[in-house]
Amino acid sequence: MGTLYLVRHGQASFGAENYDVLSSMGHRQSVRLGEYFKYKGVTFDAALTGTLNRQIQTFAGICEGMGMALDALRQTGLNEYDAEAVIAAIHPAKLDKPTSPEMYRSHFRLLKDGLAQWMAGVVSPRGMPSYTDFVAGITEVLDHVKTSYTGNVLLVSSGGPIATAVGHVLGTSPEATIDLNLRIRNCSVTEFAFTPKRHMLVTYNTLPHLDALEHADWITYS
């Protein structure tokens, strides 16, 4: 039996011109996770990431914290959906960048509605696959892991793919999968135990590396 560690990327640059770059906090979060793995004696027999900058940078930060070099197989099936395209599919008017708590809440309400309609096949966000194809990309990676590896495997991705993987394993409803997605924290760890036949959820959205009081303000969601 192996263990798959699914890690969401560190804090990216929400509200900036280019979201797909780790913030300084995101880099610190990823290095700290690597330090935690090293402290716990966790090593990895294989690693996978998506192809997005924030995922690759998070993987690099983990390696930095562990003090070792790892090679990662890059899989487009681990890339996040395009949140702006999802929102634009139900709200074509351009949105101002959120600058207040209410604007942030409005943004995520629209995202939640857009995700529900995309998952139901009601809308087709520009430049994105169907939700069926999005799920297939993730399940193909999960199948690759369980049939190709044993031991510990590190997978660095994003909230949407990780929540979808959990939903697939547990057989959750689309609504529950969306809720899982929108609550996942930056650089959180989700664990699956796996055999050649199946994956089993062990933990979800944990932050053991940020338990100390001095890291209380390192917990972020974007």
Side-chain angles (χ1 to χ4, degrees), residues 1 21 36 46 49 60 83 91 140 147 156 159 162 190 206:
M1 184 176 294
V21 178
Y36 172 80
T49 73
H91 190 282
E140 285 172 9
T147 58
V156 181
I162 293 173
T190 294
T206 66

Side-chain angles (χ1 to χ4, degrees), residues 8-158:
R8 188 195 175 197
H9 62 78
Q11 185 188 56
S13 301
F14 186 73
E17 193 66 31
N18 182 10
Y19 172 73
D20 193 24
V21 178
L22 287 190
S23 66
S24 58
M25 173 59 75
H27 177 70
R28 293 197 297 274
Q29 290 166 336
S30 60
V31 173
R32 174 68 194 124
L33 178 56
E35 293 171 344
Y36 172 80
F37 284 144
K38 182 178 181 180
Y39 168 74
K40 296 293 288 186
V42 176
T43 58
F44 297 103
D45 302 292
L48 305 93
T49 73
T51 64
L52 300 178
N53 289 331
R54 59 191 183 272
Q55 299 168 343
I56 294 168
Q57 291 168 356
T58 298
F59 174 71
I62 293 170
C63 292
E64 179 183 339
M66 293 182 73
M68 63 177 60
L70 295 171
D71 292 325
L73 179 65
R74 296 183 183 178
Q75 297 277 353
T76 57
L78 296 176
N79 289 351
E80 183 64 287
Y81 56 77
D82 183 341
E84 290 187 2
V86 170
I87 292 173
I90 64 165
H91 190 282
K94 183 175 176 59
L95 295 174
D96 293 330
K97 291 182 180 179
T99 57
S100 67
E102 178 51 39
M103 291 179 74
Y104 280 104
R105 286 191 290 270
S106 176
H107 171 91
F108 285 105
R109 281 195 295 268
L110 286 170
L111 178 59
K112 186 172 184 178
D113 187 16
L115 287 172
Q117 294 195 43
W118 172 50
M119 293 165 82
V122 175
V123 298
S124 300
R126 180 172 297 184
M128 283 176 46
S130 68
Y131 183 65
T132 298
D133 288 344
F134 180 78
V135 173
I138 295 157
T139 57
E140 285 172 9
V141 174
L142 293 178
D143 288 345
H144 172 74
V145 169
K146 72 183 182 182
T147 58
S148 302
Y149 306 120
T150 57
N152 294 331
V153 178
L154 174 64
L155 183 157
V156 181
S157 183
S158 296

